[in-house]
């Protein structure tokens, strides 16, 4: 059990969240209200009915079921007002519930626009920026945006979105590559990431996430070919001493997300998560929530796992946040305003 004093100590750590998918970072009450408003759930439906249709709360047995939940969520994000509200509330909850001071949110323009092209990429982006700006005025939090490329889409389409990000450098701080890394390895996207890196964008790549024999090798490819500054997940690094050595030497941090790794069966259970072992091996580990809305967690949940189940001390968790702060793509000046020294 978690004592309230223990909880308060964990809350009091000023936090950095580097890996959070905006589309899946909704507040339950808001998404449920939208589902009812759109006629996707009946008036007066219970939270349990909402959870059954929208949330992933136990380890997944098959990918299509999980994807379906991502898709119904995405289908609710159909207006600029909703996008702005989703963004603001994601920021607000990060600050109020988890004491996050530095927050990076990532979104895939291609994901929402494939069903609602009429929103327009520029207007959608501006709505997100408005949501971030409102949170930054109201709370001592610095928010940055990452543009996510979907590896299941064509190289040509991803070239387009990378250029979209490069043109908005300053508002968009970096690019990411996500989705199924087993069937869509990173190599074909190398030139896109090299171009974005040359243009001054930060690079983070989902790699080494699933429990697959080749997954850890994707970490090396992402670093050596795509120029990754950070690795999304990278949890399978624990399977490969060579990868651990590269991460330790390069000081490239892993954006680890324990609950997500359990729900996708990347690791067997929370008590088997390797974040503490990776930390002890000298890898720069950071703690993140991935998809807090759809997975029914907050960043605090991940700290409770790390501290109460895996035995990471408060000092170790502060060290992770120091690394995360240094690795954040948000500019130094903006970080300094919100980060306690
Ligand atoms: Zn992710």
């Amino acid at each position: 059990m978690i004592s309230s004093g223990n909880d308060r100590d964990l809350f009091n750590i000023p936090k950095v969240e580097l890996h959070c998918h905006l589309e899946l970072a909704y507040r339950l009450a808001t998404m449920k209200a939208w589902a009812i408003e759109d006629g996707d759930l009946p008036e007066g439906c219970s939270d349990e009915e909402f959870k059954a249709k929208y949330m992933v709360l136990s380890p997944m047995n098959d990918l299509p079921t999980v994807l379906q939940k991502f898709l119904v969520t995405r289908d609710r994000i159909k207006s600029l007002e909703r996008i702005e509200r989703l963004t603001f509330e994601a920021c607000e909850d990060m600050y109020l519930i988890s004491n996050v001071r530095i927050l990076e949110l990532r979104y895939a323009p291609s994901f929402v626009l494939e069903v609602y092209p009429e929103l327009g990429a520029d207007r959608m982006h501006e709505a997100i920026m408005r949501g971030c700006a409102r949170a930054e005025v109201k709370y001592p939090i610095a928010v940055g945006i990452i543009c996510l490329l979907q590896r299941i889409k064509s190289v040509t389409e991803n070239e387009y979105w990378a250029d979209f990000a490069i043109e908005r450098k300053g508002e968009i701080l970096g690019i990411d590559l996500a989705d199924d890394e087993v069937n869509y390895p990173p190599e074909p996207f190398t030139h896109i990431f090299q171009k974005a890196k040359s243009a001054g964008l930060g690079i983070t790549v989902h790699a080494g996430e699933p429990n697959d024999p080749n997954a850890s090798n994707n970490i090396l490819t992402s670093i050596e070919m795509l120029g990754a500054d950070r690795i999304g997940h990278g949890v399978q690094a624990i399977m490969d001493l060579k990868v651990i050595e590269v991460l330790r030497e390069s000081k490239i941090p892993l954006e680890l997300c324990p609950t997500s790794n359990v729900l996708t069966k990347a690791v067997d259970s929370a008590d088997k998560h390797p974040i503490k072992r990776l930390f002890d091996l000298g890898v720069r580990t950071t703690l993140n929530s991935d998809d807090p809305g759809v997975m029914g967690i907050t960043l605090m949940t991940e700290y409770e796992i790390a501290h109460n189940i895996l035995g990471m001390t408060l000092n170790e968790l502060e060290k992770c946040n120091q690394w995360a702060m240094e690795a954040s793509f948000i500019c130094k000046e903006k970080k300094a305003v919100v980060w306690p020294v």
Side-chain angles (χ1 to χ4, degrees):
M1 276 306 286
I2 302 154
S3 74
S4 57
N6 186 352
D7 242 2
R8 199 169 309 114
D9 288 341
L10 290 177
F11 173 83
N12 284 341
I13 298 173
K15 297 179 192 65
V16 182
E17 163 77 80
L18 297 177
H19 191 123
C20 178
H21 296 262
L22 174 60
E23 300 94 328
L24 304 173
Y26 58 76
R27 190 180 282 173
L28 186 151
T30 301
M31 187 57 71
K32 186 179 155 195
W34 290 344
I36 293 170
E37 197 179 312
D38 292 350
D40 192 51
L41 286 173
E43 198 73 42
C45 84
S46 66
D47 281 358
E48 298 318 307
E49 284 174 84
F50 172 79
K51 287 176 185 174
K53 185 158 187 183
Y54 278 76
M55 293 170 70
V56 180
L57 299 174
S58 54
M60 63 186 202
N61 288 318
D62 64 299
L63 198 56
T65 307
V66 175
L67 288 179
Q68 187 52 37
K69 297 183 180 199
F70 290 0
L71 296 181
V72 286
T73 299
R74 185 267 308 272
D75 290 351
R76 304 283 75 77
I77 310 173
K78 60 198 255 187
S79 71
L80 298 175
E81 292 72 24
R82 286 187 182 182
I83 290 169
E84 180 179 334
R85 181 172 170 189
L86 173 78
T87 310
F88 173 76
E89 291 182 354
C91 299
E92 183 170 62
D93 288 353
M94 283 284 182
Y95 176 74
L96 293 178
I97 298 173
S98 303
N99 194 18
V100 170
R101 308 297 181 88
I102 293 172
L103 169 62
E104 294 187 12
L105 294 170
R106 56 190 74 195
Y107 80 102
S110 54
F111 182 57
V112 170
L113 292 170
E114 75 181 359
V115 283
Y116 300 119
E118 67 279 8
L119 291 175
D122 276 316
R123 287 195 300 272
M124 181 177 163
H125 177 70
E126 285 157 14
I128 291 171
M129 296 310 294
R130 283 196 299 278
C132 296
R134 278 172 50 205
E136 288 180 323
V137 167
K138 194 166 178 188
Y139 302 109
I141 188 170
V143 188
I145 294 295
I146 294 170
C147 178
L148 187 148
L149 310 186
Q150 294 184 275
R151 64 213 311 162
I152 56 172
K153 296 203 164 158
S154 72
V155 169
T156 309
E157 183 174 353
N158 281 310
E159 285 169 348
Y160 176 85
W161 292 116
D163 287 342
F164 175 85
I166 291 168
E167 284 162 21
R168 286 154 192 79
K169 189 185 147 194
E171 289 194 345
I172 294 178
L173 307 180
I175 62 169
D176 175 26
L177 186 65
D179 294 337
D180 176 4
E181 67 176 279
V182 175
N183 294 304
Y184 300 85
E187 285 86 348
F189 304 98
T190 300
H191 65 285
I192 299 178
F193 279 76
Q194 286 180 351
K195 182 179 177 183
K197 194 175 179 78
S198 304
L201 288 182
I203 303 295
T204 179
V205 179
H206 279 72
E209 178 183 4
N211 188 359
D212 180 272
N214 291 320
S216 69
N217 199 48
N218 285 340
I219 299 173
L220 294 182
T221 307
S222 300
I223 293 170
E224 289 162 5
M225 293 176 67
L226 278 67
D229 302 300
R230 309 189 320 230
I231 295 293
H233 294 286
V235 65
Q236 303 304 338
I238 197 69
M239 309 300 283
D240 192 330
L241 279 176
K242 180 169 169 243
V243 175
I244 287 172
E245 189 57 30
V246 169
L247 291 169
R248 190 166 47 201
E249 286 299 309
S250 63
K251 300 186 167 61
I252 288 176
L254 300 182
E255 304 161 355
L256 292 159
C257 314
T259 296
S260 170
N261 293 154
V262 173
L263 292 176
T264 63
K265 293 188 169 172
V267 301
D268 290 339
S269 53
D271 61 319
K272 302 259 177 20
H273 197 279
I275 183 168
K276 164 87 169 135
R277 279 178 283 151
L278 288 162
F279 179 95
D280 289 342
L281 286 164
V283 175
R284 292 196 173 204
T285 51
T286 71
L287 203 45
N288 306 277
S289 64
D290 208 9
D291 311 315
V294 79
M295 293 179 173
I297 59 164
T298 68
L299 187 56
M300 281 297 292
T301 316
E302 306 308 272
Y303 278 75
E304 286 158 10
I305 291 172
H307 184 61
N308 298 328
I309 298 179
L310 297 169
M312 293 188 80
T313 66
L314 296 176
N315 281 342
E316 288 171 343
L317 292 168
E318 281 170 359
K319 185 78 194 159
C320 292
N321 277 289
Q322 186 63 29
W323 286 328
M325 193 276 288
E326 290 167 15
S328 165
F329 300 146
I330 297 172
C331 71
K332 279 197 178 75
E333 295 73 21
K334 198 169 155 178
K335 287 192 281 196
V337 174
V338 296
W339 193 251
V341 281

